[in-house]
Amino acid sequence: YKLAVPQVTRENGQYVWNAVTQASAYAVYIDGVQVFNEAHESGKTYRFTPTFNVENELKDYSVEVYAVGDAGYTTINSAAFEIIQKVKQLTTPDFEFSYSADEYTEDGEIIVEITKPSQYAAGYSYTIAGVTNTSKELTYSHIPSSEGTFAIRVYALGGMFDEEGIYYLDSQSQ
């Protein structure tokens, strides 16, 4: 018999579904290309993290999730649970920076503060003086090891869905 269609939801940047009775595996296709295949375990909740990125186009993608049968011995593949996935890029956050002292000191900090956050960002990437760190915070500080002029780069981290199911990619950096 034909397997039931997996019921897929979007949670925390992942597609999530519960096991389907008598499935042997699960497959996910994005625009017709298989990107996930996992054997069935009874009672398991399955999670797939998509990897849309800026090298791909900002467009609508066809995401299909199937419960896989046993090649027709007793079951055949389910119909697809299909999602037309909209993908957008996060807005670039605005930021200001300051130094904690009037001139260089050994424990002086470069402080970066995001003044205009990106809605739906999973966090931010801060690069100060060639050192990169990620954080969910809107303020980040770095103690440079010497005095000088340092490049500061900030961008919003994607990988999340909004309440309408739109998937967001990393912003451009500033």
Tab-separated table of all heavy atoms in Angstrom, residues 11 14 21 32 38-39 59 65 76 79 84-85 87 94-96 119 130-131 133-134 142 145 168 174:
chain	number	residue	atom	x	y	z
A	11	GLU	N	10.763	24.458	12.120
A	11	GLU	CA	11.106	24.805	13.502
A	11	GLU	C	12.578	25.149	13.594
A	11	GLU	O	13.412	24.333	13.208
A	11	GLU	CB	10.823	23.626	14.454
A	11	GLU	CG	9.382	23.222	14.570
A	11	GLU	CD	9.205	21.964	15.415
A	11	GLU	OE1	10.128	21.609	16.184
A	11	GLU	OE2	8.144	21.339	15.297
A	14	GLN	N	14.855	24.405	10.739
A	14	GLN	CA	14.848	23.022	10.260
A	14	GLN	C	13.452	22.620	9.794
A	14	GLN	O	12.453	23.177	10.243
A	14	GLN	CB	15.247	22.052	11.379
A	14	GLN	CG	16.647	22.264	11.896
A	14	GLN	CD	16.970	21.279	13.002
A	14	GLN	OE1	16.185	21.085	13.926
A	14	GLN	NE2	18.127	20.653	12.911
A	21	THR	N	4.299	5.246	9.809
A	21	THR	CA	4.189	3.800	10.007
A	21	THR	C	4.585	3.047	8.744
A	21	THR	O	4.130	3.361	7.652
A	21	THR	CB	2.738	3.436	10.393
A	21	THR	OG1	2.390	4.172	11.566
A	21	THR	CG2	2.601	1.941	10.672
A	32	GLY	N	14.363	19.045	-6.996
A	32	GLY	CA	14.586	17.776	-7.673
A	32	GLY	C	15.886	17.072	-7.340
A	32	GLY	O	16.150	15.981	-7.839
A	38	GLU	N	17.490	9.199	5.196
A	38	GLU	CA	17.772	8.604	6.495
A	38	GLU	C	16.846	7.421	6.710
A	38	GLU	O	15.658	7.493	6.410
A	38	GLU	CB	17.595	9.637	7.609
A	38	GLU	CG	18.050	9.104	8.966
A	38	GLU	CD	18.052	10.173	10.055
A	38	GLU	OE1	18.313	11.341	9.747
A	38	GLU	OE2	17.782	9.807	11.206
A	39	ALA	N	17.394	6.340	7.258
A	39	ALA	CA	16.611	5.140	7.540
A	39	ALA	C	15.547	5.427	8.599
A	39	ALA	O	15.741	6.261	9.478
A	39	ALA	CB	17.528	4.011	8.004
A	59	LYS	N	15.328	32.922	-4.545
A	59	LYS	CA	14.159	32.528	-5.341
A	59	LYS	C	13.299	31.593	-4.509
A	59	LYS	O	13.609	31.318	-3.359
A	59	LYS	CB	14.599	31.847	-6.635
A	59	LYS	CG	15.337	30.522	-6.384
A	59	LYS	CD	15.583	29.750	-7.658
A	59	LYS	CE	16.005	28.329	-7.330
A	59	LYS	NZ	15.679	27.376	-8.332
A	65	VAL	N	9.380	16.224	0.743
A	65	VAL	CA	9.745	15.217	1.732
A	65	VAL	C	8.882	13.989	1.475
A	65	VAL	O	7.652	14.084	1.387
A	65	VAL	CB	9.525	15.731	3.177
A	65	VAL	CG1	9.914	14.647	4.190
A	65	VAL	CG2	10.319	17.014	3.409
A	76	ILE	N	4.759	1.287	-1.004
A	76	ILE	CA	5.382	2.160	-2.000
A	76	ILE	C	5.510	3.560	-1.404
A	76	ILE	O	4.835	3.899	-0.429
A	76	ILE	CB	4.589	2.187	-3.336
A	76	ILE	CG1	3.139	2.623	-3.099
A	76	ILE	CG2	4.645	0.840	-4.043
A	76	ILE	CD1	2.350	2.821	-4.378
A	79	ALA	N	3.208	10.068	-1.338
A	79	ALA	CA	3.231	11.283	-2.150
A	79	ALA	C	4.130	12.269	-1.414
A	79	ALA	O	4.418	12.104	-0.225
A	79	ALA	CB	1.818	11.840	-2.294
A	84	ILE	N	6.785	25.168	-1.021
A	84	ILE	CA	7.427	26.140	-1.900
A	84	ILE	C	8.126	27.117	-0.954
A	84	ILE	O	7.485	27.911	-0.272
A	84	ILE	CB	6.414	26.870	-2.811
A	84	ILE	CG1	5.656	25.859	-3.676
A	84	ILE	CG2	7.129	27.917	-3.678
A	84	ILE	CD1	6.525	24.981	-4.565
A	85	GLN	N	9.459	26.978	-0.887
A	85	GLN	CA	10.237	27.713	0.108
A	85	GLN	C	10.732	29.035	-0.448
A	85	GLN	O	11.554	29.060	-1.354
A	85	GLN	CB	11.425	26.865	0.567
A	85	GLN	CG	12.264	27.512	1.655
A	85	GLN	CD	11.437	27.772	2.892
A	85	GLN	OE1	10.950	26.838	3.524
A	85	GLN	NE2	11.259	29.031	3.254
A	87	VAL	N	13.044	32.262	-0.153
A	87	VAL	CA	14.339	32.537	0.462
A	87	VAL	C	14.673	34.010	0.243
A	87	VAL	O	14.604	34.512	-0.870
A	87	VAL	CB	15.442	31.642	-0.154
A	87	VAL	CG1	16.811	32.004	0.395
A	87	VAL	CG2	15.137	30.173	0.116
A	94	ASP	N	23.089	47.999	10.977
A	94	ASP	CA	23.903	49.202	11.168
A	94	ASP	C	24.587	49.075	12.524
A	94	ASP	O	24.016	48.496	13.458
A	94	ASP	CB	23.027	50.458	11.172
A	94	ASP	CG	22.453	50.776	9.795
A	94	ASP	OD1	22.982	50.273	8.781
A	94	ASP	OD2	21.463	51.523	9.740
A	95	PHE	N	25.807	49.634	12.635
A	95	PHE	CA	26.491	49.573	13.922
A	95	PHE	C	27.348	50.809	14.143
A	95	PHE	O	27.675	51.538	13.204
A	95	PHE	CB	27.338	48.297	14.046
A	95	PHE	CG	28.534	48.248	13.132
A	95	PHE	CD1	29.776	48.720	13.550
A	95	PHE	CD2	28.431	47.705	11.864
A	95	PHE	CE1	30.878	48.670	12.719
A	95	PHE	CE2	29.532	47.648	11.023
A	95	PHE	CZ	30.762	48.128	11.443
A	96	GLU	N	27.678	51.027	15.416
A	96	GLU	CA	28.616	52.061	15.822
A	96	GLU	C	29.712	51.375	16.620
A	96	GLU	O	29.511	50.288	17.144
A	96	GLU	CB	27.921	53.090	16.720
A	96	GLU	CG	26.821	53.862	16.033
A	96	GLU	CD	26.049	54.767	16.991
A	96	GLU	OE1	26.196	54.621	18.229
A	96	GLU	OE2	25.291	55.613	16.481
A	119	GLN	N	15.944	42.002	11.464
A	119	GLN	CA	14.837	41.166	11.923
A	119	GLN	C	15.056	39.745	11.414
A	119	GLN	O	15.488	39.555	10.286
A	119	GLN	CB	13.518	41.735	11.396
A	119	GLN	CG	12.313	41.074	12.034
A	119	GLN	CD	11.000	41.716	11.578
A	119	GLN	OE1	10.955	42.421	10.595
A	119	GLN	NE2	9.942	41.433	12.306
A	130	GLY	N	40.713	41.170	12.498
A	130	GLY	CA	40.961	39.832	11.961
A	130	GLY	C	40.461	38.691	12.828
A	130	GLY	O	40.607	37.526	12.475
A	131	VAL	N	39.860	38.990	13.981
A	131	VAL	CA	39.334	37.963	14.878
A	131	VAL	C	37.814	37.931	14.721
A	131	VAL	O	37.152	38.952	14.900
A	131	VAL	CB	39.716	38.252	16.354
A	131	VAL	CG1	39.112	37.204	17.276
A	131	VAL	CG2	41.224	38.306	16.502
A	133	ASN	N	34.063	36.363	15.764
A	133	ASN	CA	33.253	35.673	16.763
A	133	ASN	C	31.788	35.857	16.411
A	133	ASN	O	31.419	36.858	15.787
A	133	ASN	CB	33.504	36.240	18.166
A	133	ASN	CG	34.768	35.697	18.780
A	133	ASN	OD1	34.840	34.537	19.120
A	133	ASN	ND2	35.784	36.541	18.884
A	134	THR	N	30.979	34.894	16.803
A	134	THR	CA	29.537	35.030	16.594
A	134	THR	C	28.857	35.137	17.955
A	134	THR	O	29.344	34.583	18.947
A	134	THR	CB	28.955	33.837	15.811
A	134	THR	OG1	29.209	32.643	16.533
A	134	THR	CG2	29.551	33.751	14.417
A	142	HIS	N	36.198	43.693	21.908
A	142	HIS	CA	37.440	42.991	21.597
A	142	HIS	C	38.597	43.815	22.155
A	142	HIS	O	38.623	45.036	21.992
A	142	HIS	CB	37.580	42.842	20.070
A	142	HIS	CG	38.897	42.282	19.634
A	142	HIS	ND1	39.204	40.956	19.767
A	142	HIS	CD2	39.976	42.881	19.086
A	142	HIS	CE1	40.429	40.753	19.299
A	142	HIS	NE2	40.923	41.907	18.880
A	145	SER	N	45.590	43.438	20.728
A	145	SER	CA	46.864	43.143	21.392
A	145	SER	C	47.904	44.241	21.177
A	145	SER	O	48.955	44.225	21.796
A	145	SER	CB	47.406	41.804	20.895
A	145	SER	OG	47.502	41.835	19.482
A	168	TYR	N	15.685	32.865	5.822
A	168	TYR	CA	16.590	34.004	5.673
A	168	TYR	C	18.041	33.583	5.616
A	168	TYR	O	18.504	32.769	6.418
A	168	TYR	CB	16.378	35.009	6.813
A	168	TYR	CG	15.105	35.793	6.607
A	168	TYR	CD1	13.896	35.323	7.087
A	168	TYR	CD2	15.125	36.966	5.862
A	168	TYR	CE1	12.726	36.025	6.856
A	168	TYR	CE2	13.941	37.661	5.627
A	168	TYR	CZ	12.750	37.186	6.119
A	168	TYR	OH	11.595	37.880	5.872
A	174	GLN	N	29.002	44.828	6.647
A	174	GLN	CA	29.207	46.279	6.595
A	174	GLN	C	30.469	46.585	7.372
A	174	GLN	O	30.780	45.941	8.329
A	174	GLN	CB	27.999	46.976	7.219
A	174	GLN	CG	28.152	48.456	7.252
A	174	GLN	CD	26.822	49.116	7.481
A	174	GLN	OE1	25.929	48.956	6.686
A	174	GLN	NE2	26.702	49.829	8.594
